[in-house]
Amino acid sequence: MISANDLSPAELAALLHFHADAGVEWLLEDEAIDRFAEFEAMKAARRPATQAQPQPAAGERAVPGEGRASPRPNTVARPAPAERAASGPQPAIPDGEAVQQARFVAESARSLAELKTAIEAFNGCNLKHSARSTIFASGDAESGIMVIGSAPGAEDDREGVPFSGKSGQLFDKMLAAIGLTRSSVLLTQVIPWRPPGNRAPSAAEMDICRPFIERQIALAEPKAILLLGNFSARFFFGENDTIHGLRGRWKEIAAADCVIPAIASLHPQDLLTAPVNKRLAWNDLLSFQAKLKSLSLLRN
């Protein structure tokens, strides 16, 4: 095994980037884990449980054919088909079928609470199996103001709420600058589960998740939407331009029977990476603030 002391700073940085791209976020657990005991417990769980056989009472002879048949030596009683189906791996759902299931689940929800429960129980998207949390809308659903981010990051997945960590702290400051707070808007993300290694969601994953975010919009009926991030803007505007080409312009997006004005801006994480772009985001926030005032959603 190569020691970290034998690596140069550049090699260490490359190794850390490799692990980050692979989805590794922690090198140590919060609490010490006895891996040896864990391994022994796993082995014990895999051992076939021997079925206790009734022993004849003193002075009695076991009569062949009476009672339950004895299993053959060194064989394991096979579980019933229903038990095997419950314990074994579930078959993968084709993408087309998963999209249909997502649409049915989303359209069946009559409230945001019902939709949240339905999304948490939905297993048709492979992103859910690698994520810790399901990120759903939070805040004031009656405000008429909706802010939609792209996809959960590592901090979001860990905390279970959108815009967590340093980008969340900057996001709070951005809202405060135009007289808003987290609790005064409805805050959500396009994708409810974090893609491994923060990769971009695939086209199939976007199609599966689309009914969920569109249903959130339809149920909340916002009067104005702020889209944050390149992915979020492309997802709703249907364009392939960068966020610099998509930001700052009001457009209309449709969800069910709702048509809502929306403006895109840079994601807080983008601003942490390139602080020089904060002036662009500030112009977008001022435009969003003016729209909210014109709709009587924000006091002057």
Side-chain angles (χ1 to χ4, degrees):
M1 178 180 297
I2 301 176
S3 171
N5 296 328
D6 298 330
L7 300 176
S8 67
E11 290 172 331
L12 281 172
L15 181 61
L16 290 173
H17 281 297
F18 170 78
H19 286 304
D21 291 340
V24 177
E25 300 166 7
W26 299 281
L27 296 180
L28 297 175
E29 296 287 348
D30 296 333
E31 297 180 1
I33 298 177
D34 189 341
R35 297 297 182 186
F36 295 101
E38 188 180 68
F39 180 68
E40 291 298 329
M42 291 174 60
K43 287 200 304 182
R46 291 176 180 174
R47 293 194 192 107
T50 57
Q51 184 176 3
Q53 299 298 318
Q55 299 296 326
E60 294 182 357
R61 291 176 54 191
V63 181
E66 281 192 359
R68 306 173 74 179
S70 300
R72 296 177 183 175
N74 300 324
T75 61
V76 182
R78 299 180 63 186
E83 294 175 350
R84 292 199 300 269
S87 60
Q90 300 298 315
I93 302 176
D95 293 335
E97 183 178 340
V99 172
Q100 294 297 325
Q101 289 185 6
R103 287 175 182 167
F104 176 79
V105 166
E107 293 171 0
S108 299
R110 293 293 175 261
S111 67
L112 286 172
E114 287 185 11
L115 183 59
K116 180 177 186 293
T117 301
I119 294 176
E120 290 174 339
F122 182 77
N123 292 314
C125 184
N126 64 338
L127 292 178
K128 181 179 181 181
H129 305 305
S130 60
R132 284 190 171 197
S133 305
T134 297
I135 308 299
F136 190 75
S138 61
D140 186 1
E142 305 294 330
S143 66
I145 307 170
M146 197 167 190
V147 181
I148 305 178
S150 299
E155 293 288 343
D156 303 336
D157 191 38
R158 186 180 301 117
E159 299 297 330
V161 294
F163 295 98
S164 298
K166 291 183 178 180
S167 65
Q169 295 172 9
L170 178 56
F171 173 72
D172 291 338
K173 294 178 180 179
M174 293 167 64
L175 288 180
I178 57 173
L180 297 173
T181 64
R182 283 178 182 256
S183 60
S184 65
V185 303
L186 186 64
L187 179 61
T188 189
Q189 308 233 20
V190 174
I191 306 295
W193 302 289
R194 182 203 175 199
N198 291 337
R199 65 167 173 78
S202 68
E205 292 163 349
M206 288 189 287
D207 289 341
I208 294 171
C209 295
R210 182 177 291 276
F212 298 140
I213 184 60
E214 290 184 346
R215 189 59 177 163
Q216 289 180 62
I217 296 173
L219 290 171
E221 297 183 341
K223 301 297 187 293
I225 294 178
L226 174 62
L227 304 173
L228 294 178
N230 191 64
F231 175 80
S232 181
R234 287 181 174 182
F235 184 90
F236 284 104
F237 292 163
E239 301 179 28
N240 293 322
D241 203 349
T242 67
I243 188 60
H244 291 278
L246 298 173
R247 54 154 292 274
R249 293 179 291 152
W250 282 97
K251 298 186 179 184
E252 291 185 338
I253 61 176
D257 297 329
C258 301
V259 178
I260 307 103
I263 188 172
S265 187
L266 291 96
H267 194 281
Q269 187 60 48
D270 299 333
L271 301 178
L272 290 175
T273 305
V276 69
N277 291 325
K278 287 184 177 181
R279 59 183 180 83
L280 302 177
W282 175 238
N283 290 333
D284 300 336
L285 289 174
L286 290 177
S287 179
F288 188 63
Q289 182 187 48
K291 172 67 76 171
L292 298 181
K293 289 181 178 180
S294 69
L295 295 172
S296 300
L297 298 175
L298 190 65
R299 295 179 181 178
N300 291 319

